Amino acid sequence: MGLPNRRDWVSLFFNVQCTVIPNISGRVLMLMSLSLLLCSLKYLGVYPLPAWKLTMHTLVGAALGLLLVYRTNASYDRFWEGRKLWGAVAGSSKSIMRFLRTHERNVDCTELGKLISSYAFCLKNKLRGNNVTKELNALLKEDQLSFVNSTNNKPTAIVSLITDWIFENCKNCQAAAGKVGILESHINNLSDCQGALERIINTPHGSIPLAYVGHVNQVLLVYLVTLPFCLLDEFYWSSIFVVGFVSFALLGIESAGLEIEDPFGNDLNDIPVDRICNAIVETNNFLSQPRK
């Protein structure tokens, strides 16, 4: 199943597949069970604790909400930066092919298109921690494949192959310094995007120090575990559902930030990297076709 229609609030409301509900349902049920236990003890007349006031939770709740929003915003910035960088990779790939199609009319750019497509696949798998083999076997020549597999940084190796191909085949561009400079800027942008994407994936915890993340989770846990004691006298049996809703809201915000913290995977909420790579391949195949 794909993503629900963002304009259809009914499908969004009842959708579970792309939400954080599976991640937080166990914790929400545990907190509701605690509230049920307290209600049962009070009903049986054995509730041993005095009534708790909501003053502390009111004060802490406001600050906790701000901390959770900041945590989520930091994760979203990480997600959106990754999406912009992948867009830049696709744009530079298309610009290289279009530029050479315009200025090197007699050169077959099929091999270059395959090299650029290989770069996209290598970059995708490097970010995911996978070892790409199938895509490269279908796109690269044997000597090119041997060169790429000889290094741990396969995207950088392919950028070198792209530069070598342009130097060997694009005589018109070599004769004009301005054209070479334009091509170099697009190629450099591919390398810059790789460095920025690697910075995202190599910076854990959504660019937030672990001490901050741990403290927010500790405060959130204490807040939710003590909440049933504060709501018991005022809401009694209804406190079970109030605790469930508050827990669902706060834990959902925290889990949503965690969900988009690593945006290059295969989840529905991740950046559609596979689709972007396939679009790059289709564009390269189209632009490498000979002029009629």
Side-chain angles (χ1 to χ4, degrees):
M1 292 180 62
L3 294 174
N5 185 357
R6 294 174 181 267
R7 298 177 182 270
D8 185 0
W9 68 270
V10 176
S11 64
L12 284 174
F13 182 82
F14 289 102
N15 181 272
V16 176
Q17 185 180 15
C18 63
T19 67
V20 297
I21 293 178
N23 299 333
I24 66 174
S25 57
R27 286 173 286 174
V28 172
L29 290 175
M30 288 178 60
L31 292 165
M32 293 179 69
S33 299
L34 174 61
S35 184
L36 174 62
L37 175 62
L38 294 178
C39 291
S40 301
L41 293 176
K42 182 174 181 179
Y43 177 77
L44 296 174
V46 294
Y47 178 63
L49 299 176
W52 290 29
K53 294 184 178 181
L54 275 170
T55 305
M56 181 190 73
H57 281 72
T58 302
L59 296 174
V60 175
L64 182 60
L66 293 175
L67 292 174
L68 288 174
V69 170
Y70 171 72
R71 164 87 164 82
T72 304
N73 285 342
S75 296
Y76 181 75
D77 287 342
R78 178 182 171 101
F79 174 92
W80 184 237
E81 184 184 5
R83 182 60 186 90
K84 289 191 294 184
L85 289 169
W86 268 107
V89 169
S92 293
S93 301
K94 180 170 59 178
S95 296
I96 293 172
M97 294 295 296
R98 183 195 58 79
F99 187 87
L100 291 180
R101 182 179 174 85
T102 301
H103 297 281
E104 297 286 351
R105 295 174 178 263
N106 297 322
V107 176
D108 184 359
C109 295
T110 302
E111 184 178 350
L112 177 63
K114 292 181 178 180
L115 286 171
I116 295 176
S117 299
S118 299
Y119 171 82
F121 284 123
C122 278
L123 183 57
K124 174 191 72 173
N125 284 278
K126 183 175 177 61
L127 296 175
R128 292 178 177 176
N130 300 331
N131 186 18
V132 55
T133 55
K134 183 175 66 174
E135 295 96 340
L136 294 188
N137 291 335
L139 292 170
L140 298 181
K141 296 179 179 179
E142 185 176 349
D143 59 330
Q144 294 171 339
L145 187 62
S146 176
F147 174 72
V148 172
N149 288 331
S150 65
T151 177
N152 292 327
N153 198 331
K154 292 181 173 60
T156 299
I158 293 182
V159 169
S160 298
L161 291 176
I162 293 173
T163 304
D164 292 343
W165 189 94
I166 292 174
F167 180 80
E168 294 172 2
N169 296 276
C170 302
K171 303 304 180 183
N172 291 338
C173 292
Q174 289 292 329
K179 294 179 181 179
V180 173
I182 293 174
L183 283 173
E184 281 294 328
S185 66
H186 292 312
I187 296 173
N188 288 337
N189 191 49
L190 291 179
S191 297
D192 292 342
C193 289
Q194 177 190 345
L197 288 167
E198 290 176 344
R199 170 176 51 79
I200 293 175
I201 205 65
N202 292 328
T203 305
H205 316 304
S207 304
I208 298 179
L210 184 58
Y212 179 93
V213 177
H215 182 70
V216 171
N217 279 270
Q218 290 164 357
V219 174
L220 179 61
L221 178 62
V222 173
Y223 180 90
L224 293 177
V225 168
T226 56
L227 183 62
F229 295 91
C230 300
L231 300 179
L232 181 61
D233 284 344
E234 183 177 354
F235 292 95
Y236 201 10
W237 292 106
S238 299
S239 65
I240 300 172
F241 304 100
V242 176
V243 168
F245 180 77
V246 174
S247 302
F248 172 78
L250 296 181
L251 290 174
I253 295 173
E254 188 272 336
S255 185
L258 185 64
E259 179 74 14
I260 62 176
E261 201 172 72
D262 183 5
F264 306 123
N266 296 303
D267 297 336
L268 288 175
N269 290 303
D270 290 332
I271 298 171
V273 179
D274 290 319
R275 193 168 65 199
I276 294 172
C277 290
N278 292 333
I280 291 175
V281 173
E282 292 177 4
T283 301
N284 291 338
N285 290 340
F286 172 76
L287 293 177
S288 61
Q289 294 177 2
R291 290 177 176 271
K292 296 182 180 179

